[in-house]
mmCIF file of all heavy atoms in Angstrom:
data_model
loop_
_atom_site.group_PDB
_atom_site.id
_atom_site.type_symbol
_atom_site.label_atom_id
_atom_site.label_comp_id
_atom_site.label_asym_id
_atom_site.label_seq_id
_atom_site.Cartn_x
_atom_site.Cartn_y
_atom_site.Cartn_z
ATOM 1 N N ALA A 121 119.281 127.919 23.571
ATOM 2 C CA ALA A 121 118.046 128.417 24.210
ATOM 3 C C ALA A 121 117.655 129.774 23.669
ATOM 4 O O ALA A 121 116.576 130.294 24.007
ATOM 5 C CB ALA A 121 118.265 128.501 25.740
ATOM 6 N N GLY A 122 118.502 130.396 22.846
ATOM 7 C CA GLY A 122 118.193 131.707 22.296
ATOM 8 C C GLY A 122 118.321 132.827 23.312
ATOM 9 O O GLY A 122 117.714 133.863 23.202
ATOM 10 N N VAL A 123 119.153 132.609 24.325
ATOM 11 C CA VAL A 123 119.390 133.609 25.368
ATOM 12 C C VAL A 123 120.776 134.191 25.162
ATOM 13 O O VAL A 123 121.778 133.499 25.349
ATOM 14 C CB VAL A 123 119.305 132.945 26.775
ATOM 15 C CG1 VAL A 123 119.605 134.006 27.842
ATOM 16 C CG2 VAL A 123 117.949 132.298 26.993
ATOM 17 N N PRO A 124 120.816 135.469 24.781
ATOM 18 C CA PRO A 124 122.128 136.075 24.542
ATOM 19 C C PRO A 124 122.823 136.398 25.893
ATOM 20 O O PRO A 124 122.244 137.085 26.729
ATOM 21 C CB PRO A 124 121.821 137.355 23.786
ATOM 22 C CG PRO A 124 120.450 137.708 24.192
ATOM 23 C CD PRO A 124 119.728 136.381 24.481
ATOM 24 N N ILE A 125 124.013 135.868 26.075
ATOM 25 C CA ILE A 125 124.775 136.184 27.288
ATOM 26 C C ILE A 125 126.238 136.468 26.918
ATOM 27 O O ILE A 125 126.675 136.020 25.870
ATOM 28 C CB ILE A 125 124.696 135.085 28.347
ATOM 29 C CG1 ILE A 125 125.287 133.768 27.786
ATOM 30 C CG2 ILE A 125 123.312 134.899 28.893
ATOM 31 C CD1 ILE A 125 125.499 132.710 28.849
ATOM 32 N N ALA A 126 126.897 137.112 27.772
ATOM 33 C CA ALA A 126 128.338 137.381 27.548
ATOM 34 C C ALA A 126 129.090 136.963 28.803
ATOM 35 O O ALA A 126 129.800 137.756 29.424
ATOM 36 C CB ALA A 126 128.557 138.864 27.263
ATOM 37 N N TRP A 127 128.925 135.720 29.208
ATOM 38 C CA TRP A 127 129.569 135.208 30.409
ATOM 39 C C TRP A 127 130.958 134.690 30.099
ATOM 40 O O TRP A 127 131.264 134.273 28.988
ATOM 41 C CB TRP A 127 128.786 134.051 30.974
ATOM 42 C CG TRP A 127 127.565 134.453 31.725
ATOM 43 C CD1 TRP A 127 127.034 135.691 31.865
ATOM 44 C CD2 TRP A 127 126.716 133.560 32.431
ATOM 45 N NE1 TRP A 127 125.912 135.644 32.591
ATOM 46 C CE2 TRP A 127 125.674 134.329 32.973
ATOM 47 C CE3 TRP A 127 126.725 132.218 32.673
ATOM 48 C CZ2 TRP A 127 124.672 133.785 33.745
ATOM 49 C CZ3 TRP A 127 125.715 131.664 33.438
ATOM 50 C CH2 TRP A 127 124.705 132.458 33.960
ATOM 51 N N THR A 128 131.770 134.686 31.142
ATOM 52 C CA THR A 128 133.044 134.001 31.106
ATOM 53 C C THR A 128 133.191 133.207 32.396
ATOM 54 O O THR A 128 132.320 133.303 33.275
ATOM 55 C CB THR A 128 134.223 135.023 31.011
ATOM 56 O OG1 THR A 128 134.262 135.774 32.217
ATOM 57 C CG2 THR A 128 134.048 135.930 29.842
ATOM 58 N N GLY A 129 134.279 132.522 32.548
ATOM 59 C CA GLY A 129 134.520 131.810 33.817
ATOM 60 C C GLY A 129 134.588 132.811 34.967
ATOM 61 O O GLY A 129 134.221 132.509 36.098
ATOM 62 N N HIS A 130 135.017 134.010 34.695
ATOM 63 C CA HIS A 130 135.113 135.039 35.751
ATOM 64 C C HIS A 130 133.737 135.436 36.209
ATOM 65 O O HIS A 130 133.545 135.791 37.386
ATOM 66 C CB HIS A 130 135.882 136.253 35.272
ATOM 67 C CG HIS A 130 137.351 135.988 35.110
ATOM 68 N ND1 HIS A 130 138.185 135.857 36.222
ATOM 69 C CD2 HIS A 130 138.124 135.789 34.058
ATOM 70 C CE1 HIS A 130 139.418 135.585 35.817
ATOM 71 N NE2 HIS A 130 139.388 135.550 34.479
ATOM 72 N N SER A 131 132.735 135.395 35.328
ATOM 73 C CA SER A 131 131.361 135.746 35.740
ATOM 74 C C SER A 131 130.890 134.769 36.861
ATOM 75 O O SER A 131 130.238 135.198 37.787
ATOM 76 C CB SER A 131 130.394 135.612 34.542
ATOM 77 O OG SER A 131 130.789 136.482 33.528
ATOM 78 N N LEU A 132 131.222 133.512 36.720
ATOM 79 C CA LEU A 132 130.828 132.543 37.707
ATOM 80 C C LEU A 132 131.575 132.758 39.008
ATOM 81 O O LEU A 132 130.998 132.613 40.093
ATOM 82 C CB LEU A 132 131.091 131.123 37.196
ATOM 83 C CG LEU A 132 130.334 130.755 35.901
ATOM 84 C CD1 LEU A 132 130.780 129.413 35.405
ATOM 85 C CD2 LEU A 132 128.839 130.811 36.119
ATOM 86 N N ARG A 133 132.831 133.146 38.941
ATOM 87 C CA ARG A 133 133.624 133.404 40.164
ATOM 88 C C ARG A 133 133.085 134.644 40.870
ATOM 89 O O ARG A 133 133.005 134.712 42.105
ATOM 90 C CB ARG A 133 135.096 133.589 39.826
ATOM 91 C CG ARG A 133 135.745 132.292 39.401
ATOM 92 C CD ARG A 133 137.213 132.497 39.155
ATOM 93 N NE ARG A 133 137.926 132.145 40.404
ATOM 94 C CZ ARG A 133 139.167 132.535 40.620
ATOM 95 N NH1 ARG A 133 139.841 133.211 39.738
ATOM 96 N NH2 ARG A 133 139.757 132.175 41.757
ATOM 97 N N ILE A 134 132.717 135.676 40.136
ATOM 98 C CA ILE A 134 132.148 136.874 40.708
ATOM 99 C C ILE A 134 130.849 136.554 41.403
ATOM 100 O O ILE A 134 130.602 136.988 42.535
ATOM 101 C CB ILE A 134 131.913 137.976 39.654
ATOM 102 C CG1 ILE A 134 133.240 138.556 39.211
ATOM 103 C CG2 ILE A 134 131.001 139.061 40.165
ATOM 104 C CD1 ILE A 134 133.153 139.440 37.972
ATOM 105 N N GLY A 135 130.013 135.737 40.765
ATOM 106 C CA GLY A 135 128.732 135.328 41.377
ATOM 107 C C GLY A 135 128.953 134.550 42.667
ATOM 108 O O GLY A 135 128.258 134.818 43.650
ATOM 109 N N LEU A 136 129.883 133.626 42.652
ATOM 110 C CA LEU A 136 130.184 132.853 43.869
ATOM 111 C C LEU A 136 130.613 133.779 44.979
ATOM 112 O O LEU A 136 130.093 133.741 46.093
ATOM 113 C CB LEU A 136 131.252 131.829 43.611
ATOM 114 C CG LEU A 136 131.900 131.215 44.870
ATOM 115 C CD1 LEU A 136 130.879 130.312 45.587
ATOM 116 C CD2 LEU A 136 133.150 130.464 44.531
ATOM 117 N N ALA A 137 131.633 134.597 44.720
ATOM 118 C CA ALA A 137 132.208 135.447 45.743
ATOM 119 C C ALA A 137 131.187 136.437 46.282
ATOM 120 O O ALA A 137 131.072 136.651 47.504
ATOM 121 C CB ALA A 137 133.444 136.198 45.248
ATOM 122 N N SER A 138 130.421 137.030 45.391
ATOM 123 C CA SER A 138 129.418 138.056 45.791
ATOM 124 C C SER A 138 128.289 137.405 46.617
ATOM 125 O O SER A 138 127.910 137.948 47.660
ATOM 126 C CB SER A 138 128.841 138.746 44.584
ATOM 127 O OG SER A 138 129.836 139.434 43.870
ATOM 128 N N ALA A 139 127.746 136.320 46.134
ATOM 129 C CA ALA A 139 126.663 135.634 46.854
ATOM 130 C C ALA A 139 127.111 135.105 48.189
ATOM 131 O O ALA A 139 126.381 135.204 49.197
ATOM 132 C CB ALA A 139 126.086 134.532 46.003
ATOM 133 N N ALA A 140 128.278 134.526 48.249
ATOM 134 C CA ALA A 140 128.798 133.993 49.520
ATOM 135 C C ALA A 140 129.049 135.087 50.528
ATOM 136 O O ALA A 140 128.713 134.963 51.706
ATOM 137 C CB ALA A 140 130.069 133.194 49.276
ATOM 138 N N ARG A 141 129.598 136.195 50.066
ATOM 139 C CA ARG A 141 129.814 137.328 50.959
ATOM 140 C C ARG A 141 128.501 137.875 51.505
ATOM 141 O O ARG A 141 128.347 138.146 52.675
ATOM 142 C CB ARG A 141 130.577 138.448 50.235
ATOM 143 C CG ARG A 141 130.847 139.662 51.120
ATOM 144 C CD ARG A 141 131.500 140.760 50.295
ATOM 145 N NE ARG A 141 131.827 141.884 51.092
ATOM 146 C CZ ARG A 141 130.933 142.797 51.534
ATOM 147 N NH1 ARG A 141 129.666 142.673 51.202
ATOM 148 N NH2 ARG A 141 131.319 143.801 52.272
ATOM 149 N N ARG A 142 127.527 138.022 50.602
ATOM 150 C CA ARG A 142 126.218 138.533 50.979
ATOM 151 C C ARG A 142 125.561 137.595 52.021
ATOM 152 O O ARG A 142 124.831 138.034 52.891
ATOM 153 C CB ARG A 142 125.355 138.614 49.736
ATOM 154 C CG ARG A 142 124.251 139.598 49.810
ATOM 155 C CD ARG A 142 123.566 139.891 48.462
ATOM 156 N NE ARG A 142 123.614 138.854 47.439
ATOM 157 C CZ ARG A 142 124.384 138.940 46.346
ATOM 158 N NH1 ARG A 142 125.148 139.979 46.144
ATOM 159 N NH2 ARG A 142 124.370 137.969 45.441
ATOM 160 N N ALA A 143 125.849 136.300 51.922
ATOM 161 C CA ALA A 143 125.273 135.318 52.851
ATOM 162 C C ALA A 143 126.088 135.224 54.161
ATOM 163 O O ALA A 143 125.751 134.422 55.016
ATOM 164 C CB ALA A 143 125.214 133.941 52.182
ATOM 165 N N GLY A 144 127.149 136.044 54.265
ATOM 166 C CA GLY A 144 127.929 136.062 55.490
ATOM 167 C C GLY A 144 128.982 134.997 55.619
ATOM 168 O O GLY A 144 129.502 134.726 56.681
ATOM 169 N N ARG A 145 129.354 134.356 54.487
ATOM 170 C CA ARG A 145 130.369 133.320 54.536
ATOM 171 C C ARG A 145 131.742 133.912 54.866
ATOM 172 O O ARG A 145 132.053 135.038 54.504
ATOM 173 C CB ARG A 145 130.453 132.554 53.228
ATOM 174 C CG ARG A 145 129.225 131.802 52.832
ATOM 175 C CD ARG A 145 128.843 130.749 53.873
ATOM 176 N NE ARG A 145 127.801 129.866 53.443
ATOM 177 C CZ ARG A 145 126.506 130.144 53.580
ATOM 178 N NH1 ARG A 145 126.113 131.253 54.110
ATOM 179 N NH2 ARG A 145 125.614 129.284 53.159
ATOM 180 N N ASP A 146 132.543 133.117 55.491
ATOM 181 C CA ASP A 146 133.904 133.499 55.890
ATOM 182 C C ASP A 146 134.779 133.646 54.631
ATOM 183 O O ASP A 146 134.682 132.888 53.686
ATOM 184 C CB ASP A 146 134.454 132.380 56.803
ATOM 185 C CG ASP A 146 135.886 132.682 57.228
ATOM 186 O OD1 ASP A 146 136.061 133.606 58.029
ATOM 187 O OD2 ASP A 146 136.768 131.998 56.722
ATOM 188 N N GLY A 147 135.655 134.649 54.659
ATOM 189 C CA GLY A 147 136.531 134.917 53.531
ATOM 190 C C GLY A 147 137.420 133.746 53.180
ATOM 191 O O GLY A 147 137.713 133.483 52.010
ATOM 192 N N ILE A 148 137.880 132.999 54.199
ATOM 193 C CA ILE A 148 138.735 131.825 53.950
ATOM 194 C C ILE A 148 137.964 130.740 53.236
ATOM 195 O O ILE A 148 138.429 130.143 52.274
ATOM 196 C CB ILE A 148 139.351 131.293 55.251
ATOM 197 C CG1 ILE A 148 140.369 132.307 55.781
ATOM 198 C CG2 ILE A 148 139.984 129.922 55.052
ATOM 199 C CD1 ILE A 148 140.943 131.981 57.139
ATOM 200 N N ALA A 149 136.707 130.550 53.627
ATOM 201 C CA ALA A 149 135.854 129.571 52.948
ATOM 202 C C ALA A 149 135.594 129.954 51.489
ATOM 203 O O ALA A 149 135.596 129.106 50.610
ATOM 204 C CB ALA A 149 134.528 129.389 53.719
ATOM 205 N N ILE A 150 135.354 131.273 51.275
ATOM 206 C CA ILE A 150 135.136 131.712 49.919
ATOM 207 C C ILE A 150 136.409 131.507 49.068
ATOM 208 O O ILE A 150 136.340 131.038 47.920
ATOM 209 C CB ILE A 150 134.737 133.228 49.913
ATOM 210 C CG1 ILE A 150 133.387 133.393 50.606
ATOM 211 C CG2 ILE A 150 134.664 133.769 48.453
ATOM 212 C CD1 ILE A 150 133.029 134.834 50.890
ATOM 213 N N ALA A 151 137.553 131.830 49.643
ATOM 214 C CA ALA A 151 138.846 131.691 48.935
ATOM 215 C C ALA A 151 139.071 130.203 48.583
ATOM 216 O O ALA A 151 139.453 129.869 47.448
ATOM 217 C CB ALA A 151 139.997 132.205 49.749
ATOM 218 N N ASP A 152 138.838 129.340 49.529
ATOM 219 C CA ASP A 152 139.034 127.905 49.289
ATOM 220 C C ASP A 152 138.125 127.387 48.156
ATOM 221 O O ASP A 152 138.556 126.661 47.284
ATOM 222 C CB ASP A 152 138.787 127.088 50.561
ATOM 223 C CG ASP A 152 139.859 127.271 51.626
ATOM 224 O OD1 ASP A 152 140.917 127.855 51.322
ATOM 225 O OD2 ASP A 152 139.623 126.819 52.744
ATOM 226 N N ARG A 153 136.867 127.769 48.172
ATOM 227 C CA ARG A 153 135.915 127.285 47.179
ATOM 228 C C ARG A 153 136.188 127.894 45.788
ATOM 229 O O ARG A 153 136.063 127.233 44.780
ATOM 230 C CB ARG A 153 134.493 127.625 47.634
ATOM 231 C CG ARG A 153 133.412 127.170 46.655
ATOM 232 C CD ARG A 153 133.389 125.717 46.385
ATOM 233 N NE ARG A 153 133.176 124.956 47.594
ATOM 234 C CZ ARG A 153 133.266 123.645 47.678
ATOM 235 N NH1 ARG A 153 133.557 122.913 46.625
ATOM 236 N NH2 ARG A 153 133.058 123.025 48.813
ATOM 237 N N GLY A 154 136.587 129.141 45.783
ATOM 238 C CA GLY A 154 136.798 129.840 44.496
ATOM 239 C C GLY A 154 138.177 129.663 43.917
ATOM 240 O O GLY A 154 138.435 130.136 42.812
ATOM 241 N N GLY A 155 139.055 129.028 44.635
ATOM 242 C CA GLY A 155 140.399 128.807 44.138
ATOM 243 C C GLY A 155 141.358 129.936 44.317
ATOM 244 O O GLY A 155 142.413 129.990 43.624
ATOM 245 N N TRP A 156 141.047 130.873 45.171
ATOM 246 C CA TRP A 156 141.978 131.989 45.469
ATOM 247 C C TRP A 156 142.883 131.565 46.631
ATOM 248 O O TRP A 156 142.541 130.728 47.451
ATOM 249 C CB TRP A 156 141.220 133.231 45.907
ATOM 250 C CG TRP A 156 140.451 133.899 44.843
ATOM 251 C CD1 TRP A 156 140.942 134.745 43.895
ATOM 252 C CD2 TRP A 156 139.020 133.839 44.632
ATOM 253 N NE1 TRP A 156 139.925 135.201 43.094
ATOM 254 C CE2 TRP A 156 138.735 134.648 43.526
ATOM 255 C CE3 TRP A 156 137.968 133.173 45.260
ATOM 256 C CZ2 TRP A 156 137.464 134.824 43.036
ATOM 257 C CZ3 TRP A 156 136.708 133.345 44.778
ATOM 258 C CH2 TRP A 156 136.445 134.184 43.658
ATOM 259 N N ALA A 157 144.043 132.217 46.747
ATOM 260 C CA ALA A 157 144.862 132.061 47.921
ATOM 261 C C ALA A 157 144.099 132.660 49.119
ATOM 262 O O ALA A 157 143.320 133.629 48.938
ATOM 263 C CB ALA A 157 146.190 132.789 47.740
ATOM 264 N N ARG A 158 144.301 132.157 50.306
ATOM 265 C CA ARG A 158 143.530 132.613 51.443
ATOM 266 C C ARG A 158 143.771 134.079 51.786
ATOM 267 O O ARG A 158 142.941 134.716 52.414
ATOM 268 C CB ARG A 158 143.837 131.749 52.658
ATOM 269 C CG ARG A 158 143.212 130.376 52.531
ATOM 270 C CD ARG A 158 143.436 129.560 53.725
ATOM 271 N NE ARG A 158 142.636 128.326 53.655
ATOM 272 C CZ ARG A 158 142.474 127.517 54.650
ATOM 273 N NH1 ARG A 158 143.050 127.768 55.795
ATOM 274 N NH2 ARG A 158 141.737 126.446 54.503
ATOM 275 N N ASN A 159 144.901 134.625 51.382
ATOM 276 C CA ASN A 159 145.173 136.054 51.659
ATOM 277 C C ASN A 159 145.097 136.911 50.376
ATOM 278 O O ASN A 159 145.728 137.930 50.267
ATOM 279 C CB ASN A 159 146.538 136.214 52.313
ATOM 280 C CG ASN A 159 147.654 135.658 51.456
ATOM 281 O OD1 ASN A 159 147.393 135.025 50.415
ATOM 282 N ND2 ASN A 159 148.913 135.858 51.861
#
């Protein structure tokens, strides 16, 4: 597409965690979806 980006898999995880937190999602739900341990 001619769009220069410097993304990694971590970029997607940061986006998920940040957007979910901003939307008020529960930390356990964010951990489950993002593949983190609940604690």
Side-chain angles (χ1 to χ4, degrees):
V123 178
I125 61 170
W127 283 5
T128 66
H130 289 287
S131 301
L132 300 174
R133 291 183 92 197
I134 289 169
L136 165 70
S138 298
R141 180 185 183 283
R142 206 170 23 254
R145 297 299 189 274
D146 178 71
I148 291 174
I150 296 170
D152 288 351
R153 179 58 61 188
W156 290 281
R158 288 184 170 190
N159 59 352

